[in-house]
Amino acid sequence: MSKYRLLALDLDETLLTIDKRITDETKKWINKAIAEDIHVVFATGRGLQKIGDFREELGLNSPMVLVNGAEVWGGSNNLLGRYFISKQDIRTLHQLAMEAEAFYWGYSVESLTGPGTWCEEMFYRNWMKFGMRHDDPNVIQQLKCQLENAKTLEITSSGDTNIEFSLKGITKESGIRKVCEHLQLEMKEVLAIGDNLNDLRLIEHAGLGIAMGNGDEKLKAVADGITDTNEKDGVAKAIQRYIFEVNEEVV
């Protein structure tokens, strides 16, 4: 039996190919892990509105860590926690996005909302995550510099052209820790796989942290190992090697 009892998977650029598919090879090895009573847990920046089809495709009813740890589920109908950005911070972030002419979006309990449907009412909702995107990475870097000392915001990204905000201290790592408490597991029993900086703390603190071959170089630098890319069944190869100890060549 593998010493890893929980498999934490990022979605975009990790589990999913560039055209947002789960390959048949990856499904096969995830199903093998499930058959060994390993908890397969999505640890993603996406919200509940954007992950249902993939859970259904894999037949999962396992815990979930969503919106970078701001919403944690013990199963499909078992909410373990939600963590909200302050309403004042939401106003500030929205204003900065407008000034920078950046596309923005937010995940509330009610919806995923962008500029097309944002209105004054939105400032009174409870927001778990707020993100901005700009085609110029320099604009994103300037926004990071403006906000890096914010005492109430956790700041991360899932690419050079975006920046993402949660309540301070809320990350994928904090979410997986809460799931581990719920399942009576320890972090040393977690195998985590990801590709970008919003995965960094989880990769650092999991029992085994694996970076995708297409991942950010900063993530690769702290990972315990590197698997193949999302276009070449990197998740499947990591499961083979680290859970089932099948000696597949990885990068």
Side-chain angles (χ1 to χ4, degrees):
M1 179 180 287
S2 172
K3 62 183 176 181
Y4 303 112
R5 308 311 308 157
L6 189 153
L7 175 61
L9 297 174
D10 173 50
L11 291 185
D12 296 288
E13 311 301 324
T14 298
L15 177 64
L16 304 180
T17 60
I18 195 168
D19 56 352
K20 308 304 180 188
R21 292 183 302 106
I22 305 172
T23 68
D24 289 341
E25 183 72 1
T26 299
K27 289 178 195 175
K28 180 180 81 174
W29 285 97
I30 287 175
N31 285 332
K32 285 179 179 287
I34 293 169
E36 294 294 317
D37 293 325
I38 292 170
H39 302 277
V40 176
V41 176
F42 288 171
T44 177
R46 293 185 180 217
L48 195 61
Q49 302 92 334
K50 292 289 186 178
I51 56 97
D53 289 347
F54 301 119
R55 279 174 61 81
E56 184 176 343
E57 187 174 352
L58 294 172
L60 298 180
N61 189 31
S62 51
M64 303 174 278
V65 173
L66 308 179
V67 283
N68 290 339
E71 187 172 65
V72 185
W73 293 82
S76 297
N77 299 303
N78 182 12
L79 179 66
L80 299 181
R82 286 186 177 126
Y83 307 92
F84 299 117
I85 302 169
S86 76
K87 290 179 172 58
Q88 181 56 54
D89 281 341
I90 288 294
R91 284 192 177 273
T92 299
L93 292 171
H94 180 266
Q95 182 63 33
L96 287 171
M98 297 291 287
E99 291 172 358
E101 298 182 345
F103 178 81
Y104 63 89
W105 70 96
Y107 276 105
S108 67
V109 175
E110 295 86 357
S111 66
L112 167 61
T113 305
T117 51
W118 196 280
C119 59
E120 181 64 22
E121 175 198 345
M122 300 301 164
F123 294 112
Y124 298 94
R125 289 188 178 182
N126 291 316
W127 297 94
M128 296 174 284
K129 175 182 168 182
F130 192 91
M132 305 179 200
R133 187 178 73 241
H134 199 287
D135 290 337
D136 184 352
N138 292 322
V139 173
I140 295 299
Q141 188 58 43
Q142 289 168 10
L143 287 165
K144 287 181 181 177
C145 290
Q146 282 181 269
L147 293 160
E148 62 185 355
N149 294 319
K151 295 181 179 179
T152 54
L153 292 171
E154 193 72 34
I155 304 172
T156 187
S157 70
S158 55
D160 292 338
T161 57
N162 80 9
I163 184 169
E164 301 174 355
F165 304 91
S166 304
L167 180 67
K168 189 72 173 179
I170 298 303
T171 66
K172 291 185 182 183
E173 179 214 353
S174 67
I176 289 294
R177 284 189 184 277
K178 193 165 190 68
V179 168
C180 283
E181 291 173 9
H182 174 68
L183 297 174
Q184 297 184 314
L185 297 175
E186 298 181 45
M187 285 295 286
K188 68 181 181 182
E189 297 175 278
V190 174
L191 167 58
I193 309 175
D195 75 292
N196 225 302
L197 297 182
N198 61 345
D199 301 303
L200 192 143
R201 288 190 60 174
L202 176 56
I203 294 298
E204 283 184 310
H205 292 94
L208 190 72
I210 302 300
M212 298 296 291
N214 53 289
D216 188 281
E217 293 302 318
K218 292 179 182 177
L219 188 73
K220 291 179 181 178
V222 303
D224 298 306
I226 303 172
T227 188
D228 215 329
T229 69
N230 62 323
E231 293 298 304
K232 295 182 178 179
D233 295 316
V235 166
K237 290 175 181 178
I239 294 171
Q240 289 176 64
R241 180 172 182 179
Y242 299 111
I243 292 180
F244 294 98
E245 299 181 352
V246 177
N247 291 322
E248 290 287 329
E249 182 180 352
V250 293
V251 294

